[in-house]
Amino acid sequence: MSNAELPRTSTHVDGSSTTKPLVRLLEVAAFAGLGVTAWIHLSELSSKFREVPYLGVGYALLVVACVVAGIGVVRGDRRGWLLAAAATAATLIGFTLTRTTGLPGAMDDIGNWSEKIAVYSLIAEGFVLAAAGFALVGGHHRSGR
């Protein structure tokens, strides 16, 4: 039996089940990464609305997506993992665009690769994306939904 086929829960004699520790650790760590991503973008939200309103809307949607994805992830729902992957991948792409080509009305960050809060966000998003990939490809989530 390969790792992808390992059961994600154990059934006890009384019929109750427990989540495998590695799966639970992955869920909690991804939840934390989503929380960091949401917090960073929430802290920048008001300035983005003033500077480039459409980016402010994007930041607000990202915060909501992180909260919803986090809830799904800790529930072991595959849809939570999918949303976590999509939200963090979109954020990483957006970061890359703002630092390379710029976005309409947002050219100030071209070449600004070392902004501390952005680097922290990249680390959190990269971790969540990797965890989501591991959970989805390896089948390490608790529900088939």
Side-chain angles (χ1 to χ4, degrees), residues 10-143:
S10 299
T11 304
H12 296 282
V13 176
D14 66 1
S16 66
S17 64
T18 57
T19 304
K20 294 284 186 180
L22 176 62
V23 174
R24 193 50 152 165
L25 179 62
L26 191 64
E27 293 167 354
V28 170
F31 182 82
L34 287 163
V36 168
T37 299
W39 176 80
I40 288 172
H41 287 84
L42 188 60
S43 72
E44 301 281 319
L45 189 61
S46 64
S47 66
K48 285 299 171 204
F49 270 115
R50 281 192 306 275
E51 296 167 7
V52 186
Y54 76 91
L55 285 180
V57 171
Y59 275 37
L61 291 172
L62 174 63
V63 170
V64 171
C66 285
V67 170
V68 172
I71 292 167
V73 163
V74 296
R75 288 184 174 176
D77 192 332
R78 185 173 189 275
R79 295 171 297 185
W81 285 111
L82 288 169
L83 181 57
T88 55
T91 306
L92 290 167
I93 291 167
F95 176 84
T96 303
L97 289 173
T98 60
R99 277 20 183 213
T100 55
T101 62
L103 293 172
M107 303 298 230
D108 295 347
D109 281 325
I110 293 176
N112 184 13
W113 294 96
S114 60
E115 183 181 11
K116 279 187 184 179
I117 197 162
V119 172
Y120 297 149
S121 184
L122 284 175
I123 292 167
E125 293 149 12
F127 175 79
V128 172
L129 186 57
F134 180 77
L136 291 165
V137 172
H140 299 290
H141 49 81
R142 292 182 277 146
S143 77

